[in-house]
């Protein structure tokens, strides 16, 4: 069983930065592809970023490309999402997810999910 816990969310002014962390349990963390998703009030969950188990393949949603960076530290069982140049439309609950397979951008194929962390960007 894999358990995921997000942290690092909060309130920030437009143009500011935040770094989200996702701490994972399990000795097989390095074998999992990881993703970040977000859900704003009244909207469907959307893909943000994903990274392969080895870190050599990375995907970003067009809406965050050039502003967000996903990375992972398998020795620490942790995935990060560095968010720069934040905009009010980035306001959402951010979730990390893991799957025992290849990198993916579809939430339905991920096996494990964290509880989410709130990111609020004021204008």
């Amino acid at each position: 069983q894999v358990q995921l816990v997000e942290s690092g969310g909060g309130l920030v002014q437009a143009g500011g930065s935040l770094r989200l962390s996702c701490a994972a349990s399990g000795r097989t963390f390095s074998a999992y592809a990881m993703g970040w998703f977000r859900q704003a009030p009244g909207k469907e969950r959307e893909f943000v970023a994903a990274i392969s188990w080895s870190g050599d393949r990375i995907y970003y949603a067009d809406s965050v490309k050039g502003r967000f960076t996903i990375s992972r530290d398998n020795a620490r069982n942790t995935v990060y999402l560095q968010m720069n140049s934040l905009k009010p439309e980035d306001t959402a609950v951010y979730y990390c997810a893991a799957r025992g397979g290849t990198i993916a951008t579809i939430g339905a194929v991920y096996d494990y999910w964290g509880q989410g962390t709130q990111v609020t960007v004021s204008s």
Side-chain angles (χ1 to χ4, degrees):
Q1 185 178 3
V2 176
Q3 296 184 19
L4 307 173
V5 180
E6 303 97 333
S7 62
L11 175 64
V12 65
Q13 297 280 350
S17 298
L18 284 173
R19 187 176 75 161
L20 306 183
S21 299
C22 176
S25 66
R27 293 172 293 178
T28 60
F29 173 78
S30 63
Y32 285 81
M34 301 292 298
W36 285 98
F37 297 79
R38 67 187 183 186
Q39 187 167 22
K43 299 188 66 177
E44 297 295 321
R45 181 184 62 196
E46 67 174 342
F47 167 76
V48 177
I51 187 168
S52 64
W53 71 270
S54 63
D56 61 352
R57 284 215 297 160
I58 294 175
Y59 295 159
Y60 293 104
D62 288 341
S63 59
V64 307
K65 195 171 300 181
R67 300 187 298 120
F68 291 10
T69 303
I70 188 172
S71 61
R72 67 189 299 164
D73 186 341
N74 290 343
R76 298 180 179 181
N77 294 333
T78 303
V79 176
Y80 304 96
L81 185 68
Q82 178 67 47
M83 305 185 295
N84 298 327
S85 301
L86 282 162
K87 305 174 181 179
E89 51 262 47
D90 295 318
T91 296
V93 177
Y94 283 71
Y95 300 90
C96 67
R99 71 183 302 258
T102 190
I103 186 171
T105 62
I106 305 298
V109 306
Y110 281 81
D111 302 305
Y112 305 100
W113 293 82
Q115 297 184 60
T117 186
Q118 177 71 48
V119 172
T120 302
V121 184
S122 62
S123 60

